[in-house]
Amino acid sequence: RDRSPSRGLGDVYKRQGYTTALVQIYVVLCVGPIFFSLAKIDADIIEAAKDMGATAFQIFREIILPLSLPGVAIGMIFIFVMLMGEFATAVVVYGGKTITVGTVIMNYYAIANYPFAAVNAIMLMLAMMAGVIIILRLVNIRKEL
């Protein structure tokens, strides 16, 4: 374990606080779409599976999970896009001591290095588009019950 004087307990608590803040902020963005996706599942389908002798695990694996995947994918997209551009929480909670893509762009902008800020912003946008396309290729969000 690193016991150097430059790293005290305050850094550990700030890192944990930063992680906790991110989870608290963004978990709502994921829970909402999943909840609405689960709410669309017809109770008669689950009842029919029980009548046919399916176990709770089989019902989850064969019915609930596939029908809730569009909500999971939408929640993943929300979180992915928001976290990629995250800089406000890093500055407020962690004091700007952590490096995120958003803080790098903000720092380039603050020192009036606009070309590097623009290039980083374009790279961030392309990475977000690629991530969203990959998620949408893995899960069909237009699937209806």
Side-chain angles (χ1 to χ4, degrees), residues 2-145:
D2 183 18
R3 298 274 185 199
S4 63
S6 64
R7 185 178 154 187
L9 288 177
D11 290 337
V12 173
Y13 292 121
K14 286 182 183 178
R15 228 177 308 120
Q16 290 171 348
Y18 176 61
T19 304
T20 304
L22 288 178
V23 169
Q24 179 183 1
I25 291 168
Y26 294 120
V27 76
V28 175
L29 293 173
C30 193
V31 169
I34 293 172
F35 172 79
F36 289 117
S37 184
L38 289 172
K40 285 184 2 182
I41 297 175
D42 190 9
D44 293 337
I45 296 172
I46 296 171
E47 189 63 36
K50 286 180 185 175
D51 290 345
M52 294 178 69
T55 65
F57 180 72
Q58 287 174 327
I59 292 171
F60 175 77
R61 188 185 71 219
E62 300 295 329
I63 297 170
I64 295 174
L65 184 63
L67 292 178
S68 66
L69 278 180
V72 172
I74 292 170
M76 286 172 45
I77 290 170
F78 284 169
I79 290 175
F80 176 72
V81 169
M82 296 297 286
L83 277 177
M84 288 293 283
E86 171 64 42
F87 71 92
T89 307
V91 171
V92 172
V93 175
Y94 204 62
K97 295 178 185 174
T98 186
I99 298 174
T100 65
V101 179
T103 57
V104 169
I105 294 170
M106 184 181 68
N107 289 338
Y108 279 133
Y109 184 77
I111 62 172
N113 196 344
Y114 302 127
F116 280 106
V119 167
N120 280 308
I122 289 171
M123 295 304 292
L124 173 63
M125 183 186 65
L126 292 174
M128 285 192 291
M129 287 173 51
V132 169
I133 289 170
I134 289 170
I135 292 170
L136 291 176
R137 295 277 176 165
L138 294 175
V139 178
N140 181 11
I141 63 170
R142 293 190 176 130
K143 190 185 305 181
E144 295 292 327
L145 286 175

